[in-house]
Amino acid sequence: MVKDGNLSMFERLGVALAKSKNTGNLDVVQLLQATLAPLRIELHSYFPELSEVESKLIRNPFTVNVHLLPDNLQEEFLELVNDSAAKDSFETLTLTKFWTRMSETYPVVSDVVLNSFLIFPSIYRCEQGFSTLLNMKTKHRSRLNVEHGLRVCRSNTTPRIEKILCNKQAQPSH
């Protein structure tokens, strides 16, 4: 941890402090702590910590004690744990594919798990959209309606410029 002076996750900073003859390492650690504290609060607002039970439920539902789960999950969870086809699927599929497949049969339990999976991608896509919009809205390009431009920028499809240009006439004759 940074407060203990462990800077292993900041490799270059650790090397620079080791090379320097300055004894102000404590000041650097305090500055780093002050910088990281708001970041930690921000991350917790985006990604609330999962309880140990939720974490076990996501990683391996067959090891979770049913009494630790909320009452609304217990009945469906017992059916899942005793389903031999689900156990076979768990051993052969990735976690995301397993829980997606279980969402049809066990919707209540899988909804809890899939909501945990969806936190990062949905926040990432939203933040990415705002960054794209910020790059589009410049002093020279300040249109109010950015729907079409934003859609083009956010699309995964590469435009076929040559085909678009072939369908356009450069200058209509008079």
Side-chain angles (χ1 to χ4, degrees), residues 66 69 73-83 106 109:
V66 70
L69 295 173
L73 296 177
Q74 288 183 0
E75 185 177 336
E76 192 174 283
F77 176 74
L78 283 173
E79 292 175 17
L80 169 68
V81 171
N82 293 313
D83 184 355
Y106 307 105
V109 176

PDB file of all heavy atoms in Angstrom, residues 66 69 73-83 106 109:
ATOM      1  N   VAL A  66     -26.382 -21.393   0.643  1.00  0.00           N
ATOM      2  CA  VAL A  66     -27.689 -20.825   0.287  1.00  0.00           C
ATOM      3  C   VAL A  66     -28.222 -19.886   1.368  1.00  0.00           C
ATOM      4  O   VAL A  66     -28.941 -18.938   1.078  1.00  0.00           O
ATOM      5  CB  VAL A  66     -28.702 -21.948  -0.034  1.00  0.00           C
ATOM      6  CG1 VAL A  66     -29.076 -22.723   1.222  1.00  0.00           C
ATOM      7  CG2 VAL A  66     -29.938 -21.390  -0.703  1.00  0.00           C
ATOM      8  N   LEU A  69     -27.564 -16.039   1.038  1.00  0.00           N
ATOM      9  CA  LEU A  69     -28.215 -15.267  -0.023  1.00  0.00           C
ATOM     10  C   LEU A  69     -29.516 -14.642   0.472  1.00  0.00           C
ATOM     11  O   LEU A  69     -30.141 -15.156   1.399  1.00  0.00           O
ATOM     12  CB  LEU A  69     -28.510 -16.167  -1.223  1.00  0.00           C
ATOM     13  CG  LEU A  69     -27.303 -16.728  -1.947  1.00  0.00           C
ATOM     14  CD1 LEU A  69     -27.738 -17.740  -2.994  1.00  0.00           C
ATOM     15  CD2 LEU A  69     -26.501 -15.622  -2.588  1.00  0.00           C
ATOM     16  N   LEU A  73     -33.689 -14.941  -3.608  1.00  0.00           N
ATOM     17  CA  LEU A  73     -32.820 -15.710  -4.494  1.00  0.00           C
ATOM     18  C   LEU A  73     -32.720 -17.190  -4.120  1.00  0.00           C
ATOM     19  O   LEU A  73     -32.342 -18.016  -4.940  1.00  0.00           O
ATOM     20  CB  LEU A  73     -31.400 -15.142  -4.490  1.00  0.00           C
ATOM     21  CG  LEU A  73     -31.176 -13.743  -5.010  1.00  0.00           C
ATOM     22  CD1 LEU A  73     -29.718 -13.356  -4.858  1.00  0.00           C
ATOM     23  CD2 LEU A  73     -31.572 -13.641  -6.460  1.00  0.00           C
ATOM     24  N   GLN A  74     -33.067 -17.518  -2.891  1.00  0.00           N
ATOM     25  CA  GLN A  74     -32.746 -18.839  -2.365  1.00  0.00           C
ATOM     26  C   GLN A  74     -33.403 -19.997  -3.121  1.00  0.00           C
ATOM     27  O   GLN A  74     -32.741 -20.983  -3.450  1.00  0.00           O
ATOM     28  CB  GLN A  74     -33.103 -18.916  -0.880  1.00  0.00           C
ATOM     29  CG  GLN A  74     -32.158 -18.124  -0.016  1.00  0.00           C
ATOM     30  CD  GLN A  74     -32.459 -18.257   1.458  1.00  0.00           C
ATOM     31  OE1 GLN A  74     -33.378 -18.949   1.862  1.00  0.00           O
ATOM     32  NE2 GLN A  74     -31.665 -17.573   2.272  1.00  0.00           N
ATOM     33  N   GLU A  75     -34.673 -19.899  -3.419  1.00  0.00           N
ATOM     34  CA  GLU A  75     -35.363 -21.008  -4.071  1.00  0.00           C
ATOM     35  C   GLU A  75     -34.786 -21.289  -5.455  1.00  0.00           C
ATOM     36  O   GLU A  75     -34.459 -22.433  -5.801  1.00  0.00           O
ATOM     37  CB  GLU A  75     -36.862 -20.712  -4.169  1.00  0.00           C
ATOM     38  CG  GLU A  75     -37.661 -21.866  -4.723  1.00  0.00           C
ATOM     39  CD  GLU A  75     -39.149 -21.564  -4.729  1.00  0.00           C
ATOM     40  OE1 GLU A  75     -39.620 -20.720  -3.947  1.00  0.00           O
ATOM     41  OE2 GLU A  75     -39.836 -22.190  -5.551  1.00  0.00           O
ATOM     42  N   GLU A  76     -34.641 -20.239  -6.244  1.00  0.00           N
ATOM     43  CA  GLU A  76     -34.092 -20.406  -7.586  1.00  0.00           C
ATOM     44  C   GLU A  76     -32.637 -20.851  -7.532  1.00  0.00           C
ATOM     45  O   GLU A  76     -32.190 -21.656  -8.349  1.00  0.00           O
ATOM     46  CB  GLU A  76     -34.234 -19.094  -8.363  1.00  0.00           C
ATOM     47  CG  GLU A  76     -33.963 -19.243  -9.829  1.00  0.00           C
ATOM     48  CD  GLU A  76     -34.256 -17.974 -10.594  1.00  0.00           C
ATOM     49  OE1 GLU A  76     -35.444 -17.692 -10.841  1.00  0.00           O
ATOM     50  OE2 GLU A  76     -33.290 -17.266 -10.940  1.00  0.00           O
ATOM     51  N   PHE A  77     -31.893 -20.332  -6.557  1.00  0.00           N
ATOM     52  CA  PHE A  77     -30.497 -20.714  -6.413  1.00  0.00           C
ATOM     53  C   PHE A  77     -30.364 -22.205  -6.110  1.00  0.00           C
ATOM     54  O   PHE A  77     -29.485 -22.878  -6.654  1.00  0.00           O
ATOM     55  CB  PHE A  77     -29.837 -19.887  -5.305  1.00  0.00           C
ATOM     56  CG  PHE A  77     -28.422 -20.281  -5.036  1.00  0.00           C
ATOM     57  CD1 PHE A  77     -27.408 -19.932  -5.918  1.00  0.00           C
ATOM     58  CD2 PHE A  77     -28.089 -21.030  -3.919  1.00  0.00           C
ATOM     59  CE1 PHE A  77     -26.099 -20.308  -5.682  1.00  0.00           C
ATOM     60  CE2 PHE A  77     -26.792 -21.409  -3.676  1.00  0.00           C
ATOM     61  CZ  PHE A  77     -25.791 -21.044  -4.556  1.00  0.00           C
ATOM     62  N   LEU A  78     -31.231 -22.742  -5.256  1.00  0.00           N
ATOM     63  CA  LEU A  78     -31.195 -24.179  -4.948  1.00  0.00           C
ATOM     64  C   LEU A  78     -31.449 -25.016  -6.205  1.00  0.00           C
ATOM     65  O   LEU A  78     -30.819 -26.061  -6.407  1.00  0.00           O
ATOM     66  CB  LEU A  78     -32.219 -24.522  -3.873  1.00  0.00           C
ATOM     67  CG  LEU A  78     -31.817 -24.150  -2.450  1.00  0.00           C
ATOM     68  CD1 LEU A  78     -32.973 -24.367  -1.497  1.00  0.00           C
ATOM     69  CD2 LEU A  78     -30.607 -24.937  -2.013  1.00  0.00           C
ATOM     70  N   GLU A  79     -32.367 -24.568  -7.047  1.00  0.00           N
ATOM     71  CA  GLU A  79     -32.623 -25.280  -8.302  1.00  0.00           C
ATOM     72  C   GLU A  79     -31.378 -25.261  -9.187  1.00  0.00           C
ATOM     73  O   GLU A  79     -31.028 -26.275  -9.800  1.00  0.00           O
ATOM     74  CB  GLU A  79     -33.797 -24.654  -9.039  1.00  0.00           C
ATOM     75  CG  GLU A  79     -35.135 -24.845  -8.354  1.00  0.00           C
ATOM     76  CD  GLU A  79     -36.264 -24.116  -9.059  1.00  0.00           C
ATOM     77  OE1 GLU A  79     -36.082 -23.726 -10.237  1.00  0.00           O
ATOM     78  OE2 GLU A  79     -37.313 -23.923  -8.428  1.00  0.00           O
ATOM     79  N   LEU A  80     -30.701 -24.115  -9.251  1.00  0.00           N
ATOM     80  CA  LEU A  80     -29.491 -23.990 -10.056  1.00  0.00           C
ATOM     81  C   LEU A  80     -28.395 -24.919  -9.545  1.00  0.00           C
ATOM     82  O   LEU A  80     -27.759 -25.638 -10.322  1.00  0.00           O
ATOM     83  CB  LEU A  80     -28.989 -22.541 -10.041  1.00  0.00           C
ATOM     84  CG  LEU A  80     -27.600 -22.279 -10.625  1.00  0.00           C
ATOM     85  CD1 LEU A  80     -27.605 -22.499 -12.128  1.00  0.00           C
ATOM     86  CD2 LEU A  80     -27.141 -20.881 -10.301  1.00  0.00           C
ATOM     87  N   VAL A  81     -28.164 -24.926  -8.262  1.00  0.00           N
ATOM     88  CA  VAL A  81     -27.091 -25.725  -7.675  1.00  0.00           C
ATOM     89  C   VAL A  81     -27.333 -27.221  -7.887  1.00  0.00           C
ATOM     90  O   VAL A  81     -26.385 -27.990  -8.060  1.00  0.00           O
ATOM     91  CB  VAL A  81     -26.940 -25.389  -6.175  1.00  0.00           C
ATOM     92  CG1 VAL A  81     -25.993 -26.343  -5.485  1.00  0.00           C
ATOM     93  CG2 VAL A  81     -26.454 -23.967  -6.015  1.00  0.00           C
ATOM     94  N   ASN A  82     -28.579 -27.641  -7.903  1.00  0.00           N
ATOM     95  CA  ASN A  82     -28.902 -29.056  -8.063  1.00  0.00           C
ATOM     96  C   ASN A  82     -29.130 -29.469  -9.513  1.00  0.00           C
ATOM     97  O   ASN A  82     -29.495 -30.609  -9.778  1.00  0.00           O
ATOM     98  CB  ASN A  82     -30.127 -29.412  -7.216  1.00  0.00           C
ATOM     99  CG  ASN A  82     -29.817 -29.297  -5.738  1.00  0.00           C
ATOM    100  OD1 ASN A  82     -28.804 -29.782  -5.275  1.00  0.00           O
ATOM    101  ND2 ASN A  82     -30.687 -28.638  -4.999  1.00  0.00           N
ATOM    102  N   ASP A  83     -28.921 -28.568 -10.438  1.00  0.00           N
ATOM    103  CA  ASP A  83     -29.100 -28.857 -11.865  1.00  0.00           C
ATOM    104  C   ASP A  83     -27.782 -29.392 -12.428  1.00  0.00           C
ATOM    105  O   ASP A  83     -26.784 -28.671 -12.528  1.00  0.00           O
ATOM    106  CB  ASP A  83     -29.521 -27.571 -12.584  1.00  0.00           C
ATOM    107  CG  ASP A  83     -29.832 -27.788 -14.045  1.00  0.00           C
ATOM    108  OD1 ASP A  83     -29.638 -28.905 -14.552  1.00  0.00           O
ATOM    109  OD2 ASP A  83     -30.281 -26.813 -14.687  1.00  0.00           O
ATOM    110  N   TYR A 106     -32.838 -19.497 -15.034  1.00  0.00           N
ATOM    111  CA  TYR A 106     -32.781 -18.944 -13.676  1.00  0.00           C
ATOM    112  C   TYR A 106     -32.638 -17.418 -13.749  1.00  0.00           C
ATOM    113  O   TYR A 106     -31.570 -16.868 -13.490  1.00  0.00           O
ATOM    114  CB  TYR A 106     -31.609 -19.555 -12.908  1.00  0.00           C
ATOM    115  CG  TYR A 106     -31.627 -21.063 -12.927  1.00  0.00           C
ATOM    116  CD1 TYR A 106     -30.746 -21.778 -13.737  1.00  0.00           C
ATOM    117  CD2 TYR A 106     -32.544 -21.769 -12.171  1.00  0.00           C
ATOM    118  CE1 TYR A 106     -30.774 -23.158 -13.769  1.00  0.00           C
ATOM    119  CE2 TYR A 106     -32.577 -23.148 -12.191  1.00  0.00           C
ATOM    120  CZ  TYR A 106     -31.693 -23.845 -13.002  1.00  0.00           C
ATOM    121  OH  TYR A 106     -31.728 -25.211 -13.033  1.00  0.00           O
ATOM    122  N   VAL A 109     -31.508 -15.140 -10.289  1.00  0.00           N
ATOM    123  CA  VAL A 109     -30.118 -15.273  -9.865  1.00  0.00           C
ATOM    124  C   VAL A 109     -29.186 -14.701 -10.925  1.00  0.00           C
ATOM    125  O   VAL A 109     -28.253 -13.959 -10.613  1.00  0.00           O
ATOM    126  CB  VAL A 109     -29.769 -16.757  -9.590  1.00  0.00           C
ATOM    127  CG1 VAL A 109     -28.301 -16.912  -9.250  1.00  0.00           C
ATOM    128  CG2 VAL A 109     -30.625 -17.313  -8.472  1.00  0.00           C
TER     129      VAL A 109
END
